[in-house]
């Protein structure tokens, strides 16, 4: 027995051994009219698209296409450019032209860095507690003096490096 997917495929294609065709604009049997500007993807690596850029021509453009069949020496520079624009969407210079998208990206990066800095500043001011009293310089000196007074770890520790007679660190 055929599975449902295989059965529906068999019904849609009209039987075994027939292949469906498709185009970028829909099914092959559709009779829709194409827009005057086709999806033309000219790239530097593939500069010659399969279809011309403009498919529906006006009267002026048709006359220019007829004139194209003659001698190109009779065509003016503007007419040559117009013929080029009928066939291709962009020139190589336009394809290679840099966009200003990097400015938007860098603006977003700097915005988020600034926002993060504001959040960190806000946390330090309003969220985190004040400095603990035991971390002040005066309190650290008192703790060190207490360790020395107790002669804590007299062999290899702090007390071993303190001269109790001169009241200073040994050299």
């Amino acid at each position: 027995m055929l599975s449902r997917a295989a059965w529906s495929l068999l019904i849609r294609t009209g039987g075994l051994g027939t292949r469906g065709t498709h185009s970028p604009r829909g099914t092959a049997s559709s009779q829709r009219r194409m827009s005057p500007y086709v999806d033309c993807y000219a790239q530097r690596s593939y500069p010659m698209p399969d279809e011309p850029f403009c498919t529906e021509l006006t009267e002026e453009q048709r006359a220019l296409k007829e004139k194209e069949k003659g001698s190109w020496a009779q065509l003016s520079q503007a007419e040559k450019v117009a013929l080029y624009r009928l066939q291709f969407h962009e020139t190589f210079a336009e394809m290679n032209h840099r966009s200003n998208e990097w400015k938007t990206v860098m603006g977003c990066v700097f915005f988020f860095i600034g926002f993060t800095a504001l959040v960190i500043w806000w946390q330090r001011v309003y969220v985190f507690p004040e400095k603990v009293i035991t971390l002040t310089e005066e309190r650290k000196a008192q703790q060190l003096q207490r360790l020395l007074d107790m002669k804590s770890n007299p062999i290899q520790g702090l007390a071993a490096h303190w001269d109790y007679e001169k009241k200073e660190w040994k050299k």
Side-chain angles (χ1 to χ4, degrees):
M1 294 304 278
L2 292 173
S3 67
R4 268 190 204 178
W7 184 254
S8 64
L9 180 66
L10 184 67
I11 291 172
R12 259 188 289 145
T13 58
L16 294 173
T18 59
R19 288 183 70 174
T21 58
H22 32 98
S23 67
R25 290 286 178 200
T27 62
S29 61
S30 69
Q31 296 298 323
R32 291 185 298 163
R33 297 195 69 200
M34 291 177 64
S35 65
Y37 298 103
V38 181
D39 293 334
C40 180
Y41 300 106
Q43 302 170 354
R44 226 183 133 184
S45 59
Y46 185 68
M48 302 290 195
D50 296 334
E51 298 176 2
F53 175 65
C54 189
T55 55
E56 292 182 11
L57 303 176
T58 63
E59 290 300 322
E60 292 176 9
Q61 291 170 340
R62 282 192 198 110
L64 188 59
K65 285 296 252 182
E66 288 297 321
K67 194 173 179 182
E68 175 190 24
K69 294 176 183 175
S71 174
W72 276 61
Q74 295 173 354
L75 293 174
S76 67
Q77 188 66 27
E79 290 173 335
K80 290 177 185 177
V81 169
L83 281 170
Y84 182 86
R85 290 292 178 185
L86 287 176
Q87 188 69 24
F88 302 107
H89 178 61
E90 293 178 319
T91 63
F92 273 103
E94 291 168 346
M95 279 188 257
N96 295 336
H97 190 267
R98 292 185 179 184
S99 69
N100 290 329
E101 186 179 6
W102 68 272
K103 294 177 184 177
T104 305
V105 171
M106 291 304 293
C108 291
V109 166
F110 287 133
F111 172 77
F112 284 113
I113 288 173
F115 181 74
T116 304
L118 282 174
V119 168
I120 290 171
W121 171 78
W122 177 80
Q123 286 178 342
R124 285 193 178 177
V125 171
Y126 295 106
V127 176
F128 296 140
E130 293 294 324
K131 200 176 213 183
V132 183
I133 195 169
T134 57
L135 295 179
T136 60
E137 293 300 322
E138 177 185 326
R139 199 60 178 237
K140 285 181 185 177
Q142 289 175 353
Q143 289 173 0
L144 179 63
Q145 188 59 46
R146 180 179 160 95
L147 286 172
L148 293 174
D149 291 344
M150 290 177 19
K151 295 186 180 179
S152 129
N153 203 354
I155 307 235
Q156 292 180 342
L158 283 173
H161 301 293
W162 181 256
D163 189 357
Y164 286 95
E165 294 169 1
K166 296 180 184 175
K167 304 274 188 196
E168 63 182 27
W169 294 105
K170 293 179 182 176
K171 297 184 180 171

